[in-house]
Amino acid sequence: MTGAASASFTADDYKARMERAARQAADAGLAGLLVAPGPDLVWLTGYTPTAVTERLTLLVLAPGREPVLVVPTLEAPDAERALGACALTLRDWTDGKDPYAATAALLDADGRFGISDNAWAMHLLGLQRTLPGTSYASLTEALPMLRAVKDTAELELLAAAGAAADAAFEEIRSVAFAGRRESDVAADLAGLLRRFGHSQVDFTIVASGPNGANPHHEVGDRVIERGDMVVLDFGGLRDGYGSDTSRTVHVGEPTDEERRVHDLVREAQEAGFRAVRPGAACQEVDRAARAVIEDAGYGEYFIHRTGHGIGVTTHEPPYMIEGEEQPLVPGMCFSVEPGVYLPGRFGVRIEDIVTVTGDGGRRLNNTAREMVIVD
């Protein structure tokens, strides 16, 4: 997380997050949580190691105990400066010592722990060797909703990131598309995201013509032509919180079919948005958007989930997909992004980030969803 984002939170915020995480671990029947460097550690403590190496860094959270951050001695000064450091105990270890033994002293010898999805296998195996009676579950599996409900400050940061992505779209729609490579437009998008405050650009998909039928098209050297539909999907981190939006533009006048498919996806996106309300299951958002596309005869061409959560990463729980019965809660933020992908021809996707409110949903992206004609 960047310094600007950290400045939006206080030591009390991080203390409350760690306490909440420990309580949720106990409610899930876990002996505690083990959090490695990555988005969970940033969210819980405000600490990002300057370099993630083979040296063990691990936050240990257990119900009824003070949080402990195990860190290499040479990184302890940086850890002490993290905003959440005053709410935890630092336990450092020096090269030549066994970090797993130091960590094991903090753990129940036969406990089951949630552990960060991005923890290194060598560290997990080291803990298992030291404490063979322990067992582990990935944090996403054990506590999928840990970061899902955002507080007021987080919502403000997500709204600002969304507004920055919107500003980038308003600028990109006025640049030349025809005769330029996809990679040229993608570079323009990346530059605009940075200009509007993003410190990290995670993706800039520019999928023109038949490439638009691939939802995760890798930008290439295809020259965009007049008559192309172009899917734009871009986002990253601004002040530590994510943006992610998609709009589909057309180079010159579209055909009747292209306009019809675009209108269909816009209607599906609106239906998904209108399904957002407290207490509704995540799958209801997917069902609402998917029903519009299926009823129009294009169901087989909608080939991905309707949405994913967003926060300190651009993809995180909850997921808007059939089978996900997690109820929506005010403060959750996620994408609503149905699409239709016609192989060898073109694709259309329209995506907004939406947050759940007390009585429905609020969009964090507000650029035109109608078809935009570009040159």
Side-chain angles (χ1 to χ4, degrees):
M1 183 180 291
T2 65
S6 298
S8 299
F9 305 111
T10 67
D12 286 342
D13 291 325
Y14 292 113
K15 182 176 185 289
R17 290 176 184 178
M18 286 187 276
E19 289 174 347
R20 188 171 92 193
R23 286 195 305 270
Q24 290 186 14
D27 291 343
L30 298 172
L33 303 179
L34 307 178
V35 185
D40 292 315
L41 186 63
V42 172
W43 184 79
L44 287 163
T45 69
Y47 175 50
T48 302
T50 53
V52 179
T53 70
E54 74 284 355
R55 294 184 174 95
L56 178 72
T57 295
L58 203 65
L59 174 68
V60 179
L61 297 176
R65 301 182 191 175
E66 186 175 21
V68 178
L69 182 62
V70 179
V71 294
T73 299
L74 75 170
E75 294 178 9
D78 287 337
E80 289 172 346
R81 286 193 289 270
L83 275 176
C86 61
L88 52 79
T89 297
L90 285 179
R91 180 166 296 186
D92 65 315
W93 61 275
T94 57
D95 287 351
K97 302 295 185 181
D98 183 352
Y100 308 113
T103 306
L106 306 170
L107 308 181
D108 293 341
D110 58 354
R112 180 168 176 78
F113 297 89
I115 188 166
S116 301
D117 296 12
N118 56 331
W120 286 21
M122 64 179 286
H123 297 322
L124 177 56
L125 292 170
L127 289 171
Q128 288 177 318
R129 282 193 304 270
T130 306
L131 290 175
T134 54
S135 60
Y136 302 87
S138 74
L139 210 51
T140 292
E141 174 190 335
L143 294 179
M145 295 298 112
L146 178 62
R147 304 194 320 255
V149 179
K150 275 62 180 180
D151 62 25
T152 300
E154 290 182 293
L155 291 173
E156 290 175 356
L157 289 167
L158 283 162
D166 284 356
F169 176 72
E170 294 294 354
E171 291 276 338
I172 202 70
R173 61 185 287 181
S174 66
V175 308
F177 278 70
R180 301 178 69 212
R181 297 174 299 178
E182 291 176 342
S183 56
D184 295 330
V185 177
D188 288 343
L189 268 174
L192 287 167
L193 285 171
R194 292 191 177 95
R195 191 175 110 198
F196 290 112
H198 281 63
S199 59
Q200 177 177 314
V201 177
D202 287 344
F203 48 89
T204 51
I205 295 173
V206 178
S208 62
N211 289 340
N214 177 0
H216 281 174
H217 170 65
E218 289 287 336
V219 167
D221 290 331
R222 182 183 186 275
V223 176
I224 301 169
E225 303 173 354
R226 294 196 66 79
D228 279 348
M229 195 85 89
V230 184
V231 179
L232 305 173
D233 184 351
F234 51 97
L237 298 183
R238 182 186 186 277
D239 289 341
Y241 278 75
S243 68
D244 185 1
T245 188
S246 300
R247 293 293 186 263
T248 303
V249 302
H250 198 278
V251 187
E253 285 300 316
T255 65
D256 289 345
E257 182 189 22
E258 288 170 331
R259 192 175 289 280
R260 184 170 64 251
V261 172
H262 191 281
D263 287 345
L264 172 65
V265 173
R266 180 165 56 88
E267 182 183 347
Q269 206 271 346
E270 177 67 20
F273 169 69
R274 291 190 179 279
V276 176
R277 63 188 183 281
C282 290
Q283 66 183 3
E284 292 183 39
V285 179
D286 183 85
R287 288 174 176 176
R290 198 169 300 277
V292 173
I293 293 173
E294 289 179 343
D295 289 349
Y298 287 87
E300 66 183 293
Y301 303 114
F302 181 11
I303 56 177
H304 56 73
R305 65 196 176 204
T306 293
H308 58 82
I310 190 169
V312 294
T313 58
T314 49
H315 281 213
E316 62 185 45
Y319 299 102
M320 307 301 114
I321 189 171
E322 180 65 31
E324 179 52 79
E325 297 180 351
Q326 167 69 39
L328 299 179
V329 177
M332 284 182 174
C333 291
F334 47 84
S335 65
V336 178
E337 50 176 308
V340 169
Y341 309 93
L342 303 179
R345 302 182 61 205
F346 64 89
V348 177
R349 182 165 63 257
I350 300 172
E351 173 186 16
D352 293 327
I353 299 302
V354 173
T355 183
V356 185
T357 65
D359 59 0
R362 174 169 66 94
R363 300 181 193 266
L364 301 187
N365 295 107
N366 294 288
T367 54
R369 292 168 202 90
E370 296 77 18
M371 181 177 288
V372 170
I373 307 300
V374 297
D375 293 328

